[in-house]
Amino acid sequence: MTTVRDIRERADSDAQPITMLTAYDATTAAVVEEAGIDVILVGDSVGDTALGYDSTLPVTYDEIASRSAAVARATDEALVVADLPFLSVGVDESESVRNCGRLLKEAGADAVKIESGEHTVELTERLVQLGIPVMAHVGLTPQRVKELGYEKQGTGAEDADRIHDLAKRHAEAGAFSVVLEHVPASLAARITAALDIPTIGIGAGPDCDGQVLVVDDVLGLSERSPPFARRFGSLREEMSDAVEAYRDAVASGEFPPSEDS
Ligand code: KIV
């Protein structure tokens, strides 16, 4: 069983890079865990993937809770991190704490991830005091799509310093790791060197302590992927071939054969 402490220790530059992938259902989570991935993120990217929304904004707390429970039921070894969807934290402190805690208590997650901002520094401190491990997330934070779009963040000196400072304050507040999304590799390297917790990059270059991608992109299931994602398979084509083969076999009468009846 991977613990938050195991992940925290991988901030050392000599340690093996942390591998993290999203999963949103039991079958995929089992495959991801069998492959030896360290951390499974039940990301709110479930919104643009399995749930068919056009951003992560409509994703609800109950959707994340139900998906997290499915992933937790299917896994023993990987650290399961549940992502807090838009407006499930930040509106009111006690509601934020309760939402995070329920993902551990009821859904079986091991930790929570929160898209970070000024408003999540104190919240992180409070959650950690209560025994709720927090993964921070800076740089491109897709829940701010209306404000930022999906552009690379931290390209100017002032914005880079702001992101660096935000990551540092969350580390000081007790976060056990921080996701750096779509920032220049030089900024990710600077943050990684400055923090004593691991950085996990997505579109943030090779110098982070670990990497994360959306599983649909890795499998080749997504119709569209961000520029920094890489396909390691072609599941969309394989699924399509299998479904067409089934359709043809039924249409031609080849399936089911009479001996199966
Ligand atoms: O929701 C998600 O999948 C994420 C990762 C891209 C880090 O937040």
Side-chain angles (χ1 to χ4, degrees), residues 68-178:
S68 299
V71 168
R73 282 193 291 270
T75 53
D76 295 316
E77 283 305 316
L79 188 84
V80 175
V81 179
D83 209 4
L84 271 297
F86 184 53
L87 294 187
S88 63
V89 294
V91 177
D92 168 82
E93 194 199 309
S94 61
E95 186 193 37
S96 305
V97 171
R98 207 171 306 279
N99 281 342
C100 292
R102 286 180 60 205
L103 288 172
L104 269 63
K105 188 171 172 142
E106 296 166 18
D110 299 310
V112 296
K113 179 172 83 59
I114 304 178
E115 291 195 10
S116 308
E118 293 295 326
H119 65 295
T120 57
V121 178
E122 271 181 33
L123 175 64
T124 298
E125 206 168 333
R126 180 80 187 117
L127 292 170
V128 174
Q129 277 168 357
L130 290 170
I132 303 168
V134 178
M135 177 180 281
H137 180 164
V138 300
L140 175 63
T141 44
Q143 289 173 19
R144 289 190 178 267
V145 59
K146 302 284 184 196
E147 180 192 340
L148 306 174
Y150 292 112
E151 301 302 308
K152 187 187 278 192
Q153 301 296 303
T155 51
E158 206 175 300
D159 199 36
D161 287 347
R162 185 189 59 76
I163 292 170
H164 181 280
D165 185 54
L166 205 53
K168 198 154 180 288
R169 286 167 62 205
H170 280 80
E172 286 162 4
F176 72 96
S177 60
V178 55

Side-chain angles (χ1 to χ4, degrees), residues 20 22 24 41-46 48 56 83 113 115 137 142 179 181 202 212-214 228:
M20 175 158 118
T22 66
Y24 319 105
L41 172 67
V42 187
D44 64 353
S45 51
V46 67
D48 343 70
T56 60
D83 209 4
K113 179 172 83 59
E115 291 195 10
H137 180 164
V179 170
E181 180 165 355
I202 173 163
V212 56
L213 283 177
V214 167
F228 46 76

